[in-house]
Amino acid sequence: MSATRAGVSESNLDLLSINTIRTLSMDAVQAANSGHPGTPMALAPVAYTLWQRYLRYDPNDPIWPNRDRFVLSNGHASMLLYSLLHLAQVRAVDFDNNKVLDSMALTIDDLKKFRQIDSKTPGHPEYRLTSGVETTTGPLGQGVANSVGMAMARGWLASYFNKPRFELFNYDVYAICGDGDMMEGISGEAASLAGHHKLSKLCWIYDNNHITIEGNTSLAFSEDVATRFKGYGWNVEHVSDANDTTALEKALDVFRDTTDKPTLIIVDSHIGWGAPHRQDTKEAHGEALGEEEVALAKKFYGWPTDAKFLVPDGVYDQFKKGIGKRGGEARNAWVKQFEAYKTEFPALAEDFNKMQRRDLPDGWDKDMPTFPADAKGLATRDSSGKVLNVIAKNVPWLMGGAADLYPSTKTRLTFEGAGEFEAASRSGRNMHFGIREHAMAAISNGMVLSKIRTFASTFFIFTDYCKPAIRLSAIMELPVIYVFTHDSIGVGEDGPTHQPIEHLIALRAVPGLMLLRPADANEVIEAWRVIMQLKKEPAVLVLTRQALPTIDRSKYAAASGLAKGAYIIAEAQGGKPEAILMATGSEVSLCLSAYETLTSQGIKVRVVSMPSWDIFEHQSREYRDSVLPPEVTARVSVEQASILGWDRYVGSKGKIIGMHTFGASAPLKDLQKKFGFQPDKVVAAVREVIGK
C-alpha cells in the first residue's frame, strides 16, 4: 500500500502507524550515524499496541499522578520511545516536572537531532531532559528495577489515599526489557522481590530476540527464562511473533485480569525486522543500517524509499483517537474525582499536593531529640535512628528499609502505626528488601519517581553493590536518602572485607550527590534537617558503628554549622591560628582531643569539622576562606579513609592522616594504634607542619 494513501482501513492505519515508528527510528539513527535501530524496528508493533490500546496516559498531561507508567528498560532502543512520544504528541513539562507547557515534548526537529549535543533525544532516555520519559535508563536492569519501585509505590499510595468511592491510585506499570536486562543480576533481585510482594499491577514485556552486541545469546545465555520467572512467583505469557498484535492483546488482557502476581510477557522478535541483510544480526543491534539497507527496509514496509522522517496523513489522528482519547477521558474523570475528594478529605488532599511538590508538612521537625554532652556518647547510627523515627512520624510519606540489616543500621520505624510493607498490607512503612542491595537502591529510585520520600540502608562497604543506582539518583536529581553505617575501620574485628576505605572519596566524586559524615549525635540532627529539605539532590548519610562522644556544645561551636558543610568547631585561643586541624565523623573528637593538648602547650590551633565537602564547596568564597584562611598553610586532615582528595584542603605544606592500605581484623583500639589514629599522632603531625 502507499504510505500516504488517505481513507485506509483501521487495520491499515495501525500498520501505517507501526511502520512510522520503525522508519522514524531508522531515519534518526541513520542521521546520527549512531544508535540502535534493530530493536525499535522489531518492537514497534508491541509498543504501539500497548500505547494505543492499553496505556492509560494523557499526552496532554504527562505528569497526571494516576497515569500508567511505561519504562523502556532496554534504553538503547530509545528511538522507540522518542517516536511514540512524538506521534502521541505528548506535551512538554518544565524541568521541575511540575507544570505542563504548551509546547510538544519532541518535535520532528528533535528527532532529527538524535544523539546530538544539547538535544532532547540523547542516546538513552533521560528523566527531566525529555518530557514523558519516566526514568533514566541505559545501564541494563535499572529500568525494570525502577518499575518494581513504581509498583510498590502504587500499592502504598493506594493504601494511604484511596477511600470508599475514591480510587485515586490504580495505575499499572509496564516495562519493556531485553536479553541484556535478563542477564544482569539486578533484574533477578528485583523480580524476586516483585514476586514475593505479589505486585499484580506490574507487567514486564521481554523482547526475546536472541541477539546482543557480541552475537547470538547462545554464546552465554541459555536458561529457561519462563521457568525462572515462574519460580519467582510470576505469571508468564508467551507471544511467538512480535508482529502478532492479537496475541499480544490476549497476553495483556491476562495481565489485567491477574490479581495475585506480576506478569512477564515473553515476545519472540526479529531484531532489525524488515532489513534484508541485517535482520537477526548483531549489526542491527548497535549500528546504523546504512542508506542502502534503510531504503531496502522501507521498500519492504511499502514505504517511499526516498522519504525521511515521514509521518503519513492519518497517523497523528490515529494516536489521538486511541491513547489520546482514552487517556484524556481517564485523566478528566480523575480530576473531577479529586475535586470531590478535596472536599471530603481535605487533610489527605493537602498531603497529596505536598507530595507532588516535594514539600514537607508543617511541623515536620517538631519533637526532635536532644543529646546533652556525654564523653561516652553513642554511635551515630543510634542517634540517627532516633531522629529518623521522629521525622518519619511527622512525615507520613517517608518510608524505607534496609537490605536485611535494620537491626544494625537502626533504620526501623518503631512508632505506633509504622507497620510493615508486605503483600498482605501495603500500608506499612518499614520495607524489607532482603539481601538485595542493588535492587534496593534502584527500587528506591522508582519510589521517589512516584513522589514517595524513600530511604535505603546497608553497611557503607556495600555501596559497591548500590553504586550504579546511586549514580542514577544523582543524574535524575532524585532526593533518595541513603543511610550507610559501619563507616570505617571502626568496624573492627570484621576485618578489611567490611571496612570501607575508598568509599568516601568514591561517592564524593559523584556530581550532585550530597554526602554527610556527622561527628556526633547533634551533627546527626542537623544532617537530617538538611537532608529532609532537599528536593533534587540524593543524600548519603555515613554513620558509625562505634560510640562517639557527644561533643560539649557549650564549650565548642553549635552543630548547626553543619548546614554550611564545614565550620569552625574549636577556635585557636589568643589570635590567628598557627595550624588548622580538619576531620569528618568519628575523627572530629580525635582532633578535639589533640586540640586540648596543643592548646595546653601554647600552640594556636583551629579545628574544623567538615561533614560535607559538597555543601562546603557550594558556599561563598568569603565563607570558605573564613573557615580555611589561605594564609594558614600549616594544615592537618584526619580521616579513617583513603587520603585521596584531602590535598585540596591540606595543600602542599600540610599533612594527611588517613588510610594508605586496607584495614585489618582486630579490636578498634588496636586498629587505631596500628594506623595512627591517636591524639599523640595528631599532635605530632601538627608540630611537624608548623616546625615545632
Side-chain angles (χ1 to χ4, degrees):
M1 74 176 178
S2 168
T4 58
R5 188 174 68 197
V8 295
S9 67
E10 185 71 19
S11 61
N12 280 343
L13 277 171
D14 287 336
L15 181 58
L16 192 65
S17 300
I18 290 167
N19 286 336
T20 303
I21 296 169
R22 287 170 164 147
T23 56
L24 287 176
S25 299
M26 291 191 304
D27 287 341
V29 172
Q30 191 60 40
N33 196 28
S34 173
H36 302 259
T39 299
M41 295 163 69
L43 289 186
V46 175
Y48 172 78
T49 300
L50 176 61
W51 277 54
Q52 185 70 347
R53 304 274 187 257
Y54 289 84
L55 207 66
R56 291 174 297 173
Y57 182 93
D58 183 5
N60 288 316
D61 188 359
I63 53 173
W64 164 43
N66 196 40
R67 67 191 180 280
D68 286 348
R69 269 53 167 189
F70 173 79
V71 175
L72 185 69
S73 191
N74 45 347
H76 55 270
S78 55
M79 270 310 304
L80 177 66
L81 178 54
Y82 298 152
S83 298
L84 288 164
L85 292 173
H86 171 71
L87 295 174
Q89 297 186 293
V90 173
R91 290 173 65 184
V93 179
D94 70 346
F95 196 70
D96 289 332
N97 226 42
N98 287 327
K99 182 180 179 182
V100 180
L101 307 176
D102 291 333
S103 56
M104 288 178 60
L106 293 176
T107 65
I108 279 288
D109 285 340
D110 290 320
L111 302 188
K112 292 177 180 178
K113 296 175 183 175
F114 178 57
R115 287 183 167 234
Q116 304 309 298
I117 190 71
D118 296 329
S119 76
K120 296 179 184 177
T121 47
H124 295 83
E126 294 184 32
Y127 175 70
R128 291 186 185 275
L129 180 64
T130 311
S131 299
V133 171
E134 297 284 4
T135 182
T136 297
T137 55
L140 292 172
Q142 292 289 331
V144 286
N146 293 164
S147 75
V148 174
M150 294 172 182
M152 294 175 79
R154 182 260 181 216
W156 187 87
L157 290 166
S159 71
Y160 187 72
F161 288 106
N162 289 4
K163 298 294 178 184
R165 299 184 295 107
F166 295 99
E167 195 171 16
L168 291 190
F169 289 99
N170 60 4
Y171 64 81
D172 294 327
V173 181
Y174 299 93
I176 288 182
C177 54
D179 291 306
D181 290 287
M182 289 298 167
M183 293 187 208
E184 290 287 358
I186 186 174
S187 69
E189 292 182 25
S192 173
L193 193 61
H196 172 78
H197 280 293
K198 304 182 186 301
L199 299 176
S200 61
K201 293 293 185 176
L202 176 65
C203 178
W204 292 2
I205 301 173
Y206 165 36
D207 175 29
N208 182 36
N209 64 35
H210 300 290
I211 296 294
T212 60
I213 289 175
E214 291 188 358
N216 194 282
T217 53
S218 61
L219 291 168
F221 188 61
S222 54
E223 68 196 44
D224 185 336
V225 172
T227 299
R228 169 184 157 194
F229 272 73
K230 288 176 183 176
Y232 288 147
W234 287 54
N235 173 51
V236 179
E237 298 296 312
H238 190 195
V239 176
S240 60
D241 180 2
N243 292 301
D244 187 348
T245 57
T246 300
L248 179 66
E249 288 182 15
K250 290 180 180 178
L252 289 167
D253 288 341
V254 170
F255 157 64
R256 284 196 166 177
D257 291 339
T258 300
T259 59
D260 61 346
K261 61 186 68 175
T263 295
L264 176 72
I265 301 176
I266 302 174
V267 179
D268 297 338
S269 75
H270 294 278
I271 196 167
W273 189 82
H277 304 107
R278 291 294 182 90
Q279 181 175 313
D280 295 327
T281 68
K282 64 181 183 180
E283 288 76 18
H285 174 81
E287 299 176 9
L289 297 176
E291 295 290 355
E292 183 177 346
E293 190 74 1
V294 167
L296 291 171
K298 287 179 177 177
K299 182 178 180 181
F300 177 81
Y301 300 147
W303 210 260
T305 57
D306 59 347
K308 294 184 179 180
F309 295 97
L310 172 64
V311 180
D313 295 342
V315 172
Y316 292 125
D317 286 340
Q318 181 73 349
F319 275 85
K320 285 180 182 177
K321 289 187 297 183
I323 186 173
K325 182 175 185 294
R326 182 180 63 258
E329 290 173 350
R331 184 260 182 192
N332 291 339
W334 184 92
V335 170
K336 182 178 180 181
Q337 178 187 195
F338 187 63
E339 289 301 313
Y341 184 90
K342 287 192 294 185
T343 300
E344 194 160 339
F345 303 101
L348 283 173
E350 182 60 22
D351 282 354
F352 172 87
N353 287 327
K354 280 185 164 64
M355 284 183 67
Q356 296 304 306
R357 299 189 301 265
R358 299 202 193 284
D359 290 339
L360 293 167
D362 296 337
W364 67 270
D365 59 349
K366 66 182 179 181
D367 302 323
M368 283 288 209
T370 57
F371 297 103
D374 182 354
K376 183 179 178 181
L378 71 167
T380 51
R381 62 170 175 166
D382 290 314
S383 52
S384 174
K386 296 177 187 296
V387 176
L388 171 61
N389 265 276
V390 169
I391 295 173
K393 191 173 182 179
N394 298 332
V395 183
W397 52 91
L398 175 61
M399 60 186 292
D404 194 53
L405 286 173
Y406 80 72
S408 294
T409 60
K410 309 300 181 183
T411 47
R412 180 170 176 77
L413 303 181
T414 57
F415 55 86
E416 184 177 356
E420 315 299 314
F421 182 93
E422 52 193 358
S425 173
R426 311 287 191 202
S427 61
R429 292 163 61 192
N430 283 300
M431 304 181 70
H432 303 275
F433 294 100
I435 307 168
R436 303 182 181 96
E437 292 89 355
H438 197 175
M440 173 183 69
I443 287 169
S444 297
N445 281 339
M447 295 189 70
V448 174
L449 284 163
S450 308
K451 303 299 179 128
I452 291 176
R453 198 68 191 277
T454 309
F455 59 88
S457 70
T458 185
F459 292 169
F460 194 33
I461 193 75
F462 299 138
T463 56
D464 289 335
Y465 293 151
C466 302
K467 174 66 185 304
I470 293 174
R471 185 173 186 270
L472 287 170
S473 301
I475 289 176
M476 288 190 274
E477 300 184 354
L478 300 178
V480 181
I481 303 168
Y482 295 100
V483 181
F484 296 133
T485 67
H486 297 57
D487 69 339
S488 68
I489 61 171
V491 174
E493 293 87 345
D494 279 347
T497 61
H498 282 58
Q499 293 170 4
I501 300 303
E502 70 277 24
H503 298 68
L504 282 170
I505 190 61
L507 292 182
R508 284 169 176 156
V510 178
L513 179 66
M514 183 181 291
L515 184 145
L516 303 100
R517 187 175 184 239
D520 74 344
N522 289 303
E523 279 199 7
V524 166
I525 292 175
E526 300 306 320
W528 274 105
R529 287 189 197 279
V530 169
I531 288 169
M532 287 305 299
Q533 295 178 77
L534 299 175
K535 292 190 176 185
K536 293 184 179 179
E537 300 89 355
V540 170
L541 185 59
V542 183
L543 305 169
T544 67
R545 174 199 187 192
Q546 74 275 22
L548 302 183
T550 304
I551 296 166
D552 185 349
R553 299 293 171 166
S554 66
K555 182 177 182 180
Y556 301 110
S560 56
L562 174 141
K564 291 192 173 182
Y567 66 103
I568 301 167
I569 191 169
E571 185 57 288
Q573 292 187 6
K576 176 182 174 181
E578 298 174 70
I580 299 174
L581 269 172
M582 296 169 275
T584 73
S586 51
E587 289 70 73
V588 172
S589 292
L590 172 59
C591 287
L592 291 175
S593 295
Y595 165 85
E596 296 294 343
T597 299
L598 289 162
T599 300
S600 71
Q601 296 172 353
I603 296 174
K604 299 173 182 178
V605 62
R606 170 184 291 181
V607 180
V608 175
S609 177
M610 300 188 70
S612 177
W613 291 9
D614 176 69
I615 298 175
F616 184 59
E617 290 300 329
H618 282 85
Q619 303 307 309
S620 68
R621 169 58 66 182
E622 181 182 17
Y623 177 77
R624 284 180 282 151
D625 286 349
S626 73
V627 175
L628 301 176
E631 65 272 17
V632 182
T633 59
R635 302 178 178 187
V636 176
S637 69
V638 187
E639 191 173 60
Q640 292 179 13
S642 167
I643 66 170
L644 192 63
W646 273 108
D647 54 323
R648 73 189 301 180
Y649 298 118
V650 168
S652 60
K653 297 180 181 180
K655 188 172 179 64
I656 304 171
I657 299 175
M659 295 298 296
H660 299 264
T661 67
F662 292 109
S665 176
L668 175 58
K669 289 184 178 180
D670 293 338
L671 292 171
Q672 290 171 329
K673 181 178 180 180
K674 176 181 176 65
F675 292 110
F677 295 101
Q678 293 180 301
D680 63 317
K681 298 293 185 182
V682 178
V683 168
V686 172
R687 285 187 164 277
E688 180 182 340
V689 296
I690 63 175
K692 290 186 179 180

